[in-house]
Amino acid sequence: MSNTKEQILITALHLFAENGYEAVSVSDIAGKLGMTKGALYRHFKNKRDIFESLLACMEENDAKNASEHDVPEDSLSEMEEEYQNTSVESLVEFSKAMFRYWTEDDFASSFRKMLTLEQFRSKEMADLYQQYLASGPLNYVKDLFSSKGIKNAEQRAVEFYSPMFLLYSVYDGSPKKEKVLQMADKAIEESVKDLLTEEKNNEQRLYNQT
């Protein structure tokens, strides 16, 4: 991707995060960049094309983040063995990294803010908000717990993910960002103490059966 295309994407995303997707026009994006609409159209067909490129970037980042932390990037039905082989400890480290990603990474943070603004105005944005920030990660954790034989997987997933979901909003309004990051780390660690023991017991039981 060319530098100009990257500049258009990040400028558009910043405007979408500040004002909402629907409120921003191609003229607004071009004006912010100091270019004409014609020059912008040489890189993107229209505002929708810009948005779809942003989605493609998010999907690419999702796959990269999962790969770097050795956790499944797809659904349980598609990657059942990978879910079973992912430890709770790996989930903890991945979750810590993802909290920082969604708060400190400029691209991801702006994307999150855009979805938060637009979720009540557009079904598509509401679905994306659920996929990336609400039911999507919650179900991911539930499926991972379930595949590990952890009891009451859905409720345990709620207990695991709820502090992260709350602390996104706390982070945005807090002047002490580092403290919120530390709170998130501690909440994630505390929520899995009993799960680590249960995971080990389940693994031992399976070993004894072989």
Side-chain angles (χ1 to χ4, degrees):
M1 186 181 294
S2 70
N3 287 338
T4 301
K5 290 191 76 170
E6 289 178 359
Q7 289 173 359
I8 292 170
L9 284 178
I10 195 62
T11 298
L13 182 56
H14 286 163
L15 290 172
F16 297 158
E18 292 169 9
N19 305 308
Y21 175 78
E22 293 297 336
V24 176
S25 67
V26 171
S27 295
D28 293 329
I29 299 167
K32 188 75 173 179
L33 287 161
M35 64 170 57
T36 65
K37 287 172 64 177
L40 189 150
Y41 285 136
R42 285 198 288 271
H43 299 279
F44 296 98
K45 298 175 186 177
N46 46 41
K47 187 172 77 167
R48 181 68 194 186
D49 191 24
I50 293 173
F51 179 71
E52 289 181 352
S53 294
L54 292 171
L55 283 180
C57 287
M58 284 302 306
E59 290 174 2
E60 183 179 335
N61 290 345
D62 262 6
K64 180 181 177 182
N65 286 330
S67 177
E68 287 179 352
H69 290 86
D70 199 26
V71 297
E73 63 183 78
D74 213 329
S75 66
L76 177 59
S77 61
E78 297 291 330
M79 306 184 74
E80 184 174 356
E81 184 176 351
E82 287 82 352
Y83 273 78
Q84 292 173 352
N85 292 333
T86 299
S87 67
V88 172
E89 190 59 44
S90 294
L91 176 65
V92 167
E93 295 307 312
F94 177 60
S95 297
K96 289 179 182 179
M98 289 305 292
F99 188 86
R100 280 163 172 73
Y101 173 67
W102 283 111
T103 54
E104 295 190 301
D105 182 88
D106 179 59
F107 188 93
S109 176
S110 297
F111 192 84
R112 175 173 61 83
K113 291 172 183 176
M114 175 190 70
L115 295 184
T116 301
L117 279 176
E118 290 293 312
Q119 63 175 315
F120 302 110
R121 300 171 183 163
S122 159
K123 184 181 185 306
E124 179 184 24
M125 294 291 191
D127 289 344
L128 287 169
Y129 180 87
Q130 289 293 320
Q131 174 187 334
Y132 281 104
L133 295 161
S135 59
L138 180 63
N139 287 331
Y140 180 89
V141 175
K142 179 199 72 175
D143 287 345
L144 194 145
F145 286 172
S146 178
S147 70
K148 303 292 291 182
I150 292 172
K151 296 178 181 178
N152 302 317
E154 186 171 42
Q155 181 59 36
R156 307 285 273 282
V158 170
E159 294 167 0
F160 179 89
Y161 186 63
S162 292
M164 292 178 62
F165 186 74
L166 168 65
L167 289 172
Y168 286 136
S169 296
V170 174
Y171 179 95
D172 290 335
S174 175
K176 298 179 179 180
K177 307 294 189 187
E178 185 59 35
K179 181 178 179 181
V180 180
L181 294 174
Q182 293 170 3
M183 290 167 62
D185 283 352
K186 186 171 180 58
I188 291 168
E189 291 168 0
E190 289 292 327
S191 69
V192 298
K193 282 185 175 179
D194 60 331
L195 296 179
L196 292 170
T197 300
E198 186 172 345
E199 179 185 37
K200 289 180 180 178
N201 291 339
N202 289 341
E203 290 174 350
Q204 185 63 48
R205 185 170 62 254
L206 289 173
Y207 176 80
N208 293 337
Q209 292 173 353
T210 59

